[in-house]
Amino acid sequence: MKTFATLAGVTAFASTVASHATWQQLWINGKDQISDVVTIEMHQHASRGCTEEAIGGDHNGPVLAYLSKVSDSATADASTPFFKIFQNTWAKKASGSDGKEDYWGTKDLNTRCGLMDFKIPSDLAPGDYLLRTEAIALHSAARAGGAQFYMSCYQLTITGGGSSTPAGVTFPGAYKASDPGIQINIYQNLNTYVAPGPSVIPGGTEAVAGKPGSVVPPGNGGSSTTAAPTSAPSTTLRTSTSPPAPTTTSGNGGGGCSAAKFAQCGGNGFSGCTSCASGSTCTRQSEWYSQCL
């Protein structure tokens, strides 16, 4: 079965924190004839080179990706179930090392100059999908609500002869602030790390942290996945993942403005618009982030 992912238009449902990192780009490798390799890109600075770490400041944590089957990706509101197709989480560096020294998915982003590859599973049913990518920074996660989430969502159309329609989870609701992979002190001698959310589906990719390009069978018994290439794909699809600019309104809260759909609308220390554009509601994701959904 051949599966191809094409861009049906790119929308960034971005979660950004001021002066922190943003998802910047989605790449698709049009040469892959089994299942397309997509490459996600993230930096916390304007430069997209390797002169600085993509995510510096020891913002260590996992990198995850989900898909959601939708009837029309152009109008989908991200309320449909998402199933996990990729994760690069944690691996121990050496006996006695603490979580800061250990290998993390975000460190692999730094190694690859902000890029991370994974494959779209080859047996998925054709149609429109939303691709949700996220990095979770755990440097302040020892206290409840201390984890920082960086998310973006892209619109894809997948074609081919597959028929798989995996079950999924919904956001918000898939994570709890007390989940062991979200509230965790990484500055300790870790023996294990439990990734938040569901297991990777069969045919998905579980990367080995600290070994970019290496993968293991998904935790729920799926087959091994071929390692993605380390060079950049030939086809580049560019998009800004900054939230849409706030829309000014009269007589509204949050300084006389309302945030656009999928933009940030609240959170500890947030000073922007706290009301949402018509058709969306400010929904609390954590102590640190609320989003217009």
Side-chain angles (χ1 to χ4, degrees), residues 40 61-66 84-90 104-106 108 116-119 134 175 193-201 204-209 214-220:
I40 50 180
V63 179
L64 314 170
Y66 296 80
K84 188 185 289 183
I85 62 168
F86 170 80
Q87 64 183 20
N88 183 332
T89 59
W90 168 90
W104 290 95
T106 51
D108 286 345
M116 188 163 289
D117 303 335
F118 57 90
K119 285 193 172 188
E134 65 183 18
Y175 302 158
Y193 175 76
V194 181
S199 300
V200 174
I201 66 167
T205 304
E206 288 199 47
V208 179
S214 299
V215 297
V216 296
N220 58 351

Side-chain angles (χ1 to χ4, degrees), residues 90-110:
W90 168 90
K92 196 168 190 62
K93 183 174 183 178
S95 177
S97 63
D98 64 28
K100 178 180 176 180
E101 298 172 321
D102 290 344
Y103 300 109
W104 290 95
T106 51
K107 287 186 176 182
D108 286 345
L109 275 173
N110 292 336

Side-chain angles (χ1 to χ4, degrees), residues 19-287:
S19 301
H20 282 60
T22 59
W23 292 102
Q24 291 169 307
Q25 184 165 319
L26 173 70
W27 308 54
I28 294 183
N29 180 0
K31 292 185 177 180
D32 194 291
Q33 299 300 305
I34 302 298
S35 57
D36 282 336
V37 173
V38 297
T39 303
I40 50 180
E41 181 176 0
M42 188 182 200
H43 297 274
Q44 65 181 26
H45 44 76
S47 169
R48 290 166 60 186
C50 285
T51 56
E52 309 174 73
E53 286 187 327
I55 306 176
D58 294 323
H59 282 42
N60 301 323
V63 179
L64 314 170
Y66 296 80
L67 281 174
S68 178
K69 184 112 172 36
V70 296
S71 57
D72 184 352
S73 61
T75 60
D77 62 2
S79 64
T80 47
F82 283 82
F83 52 90
K84 188 185 289 183
I85 62 168
F86 170 80
Q87 64 183 20
N88 183 332
T89 59
W90 168 90
K92 196 168 190 62
K93 183 174 183 178
S95 177
S97 63
D98 64 28
K100 178 180 176 180
E101 298 172 321
D102 290 344
Y103 300 109
W104 290 95
T106 51
K107 287 186 176 182
D108 286 345
L109 275 173
N110 292 336
T111 300
R112 290 279 328 278
C113 304
L115 302 175
M116 188 163 289
D117 303 335
F118 57 90
K119 285 193 172 188
I120 301 295
S122 61
D123 60 347
L124 295 180
D128 279 11
Y129 288 81
L130 296 180
L131 170 64
R132 172 192 169 102
T133 60
E134 65 183 18
I136 306 176
L138 300 174
H139 58 293
S140 299
R143 56 183 174 82
Q148 296 178 3
F149 296 78
Y150 302 93
M151 300 169 286
S152 189
C153 205
Y154 304 91
Q155 301 165 344
L156 297 179
T157 295
I158 293 176
T159 60
S163 59
S164 177
T165 56
V169 296
T170 56
F171 293 95
Y175 302 158
K176 299 191 299 294
S178 59
D179 284 348
I182 293 176
Q183 184 177 352
I184 179 175
N185 175 14
I186 65 170
Y187 301 104
Q188 61 177 309
N189 182 7
L190 297 176
N191 293 313
T192 187
Y193 175 76
V194 181
S199 300
V200 174
I201 66 167
T205 304
E206 288 199 47
V208 179
K211 299 179 180 179
S214 299
V215 297
V216 296
N220 58 351
S223 58
S224 298
T225 304
T226 303
T230 56
S231 59
S234 58
T235 301
T236 303
L237 305 170
R238 299 180 182 274
T239 179
S240 168
T241 60
S242 298
T247 301
T248 301
T249 61
S250 59
N252 210 341
C257 65
S258 64
K261 193 171 184 180
F262 305 120
Q264 184 175 1
C265 57
N268 194 344
F270 178 71
S271 59
C273 304
T274 56
S275 296
C276 294
S278 177
S280 59
T281 302
C282 190
T283 304
R284 186 180 188 274
Q285 306 282 333
S286 71
E287 176 187 353

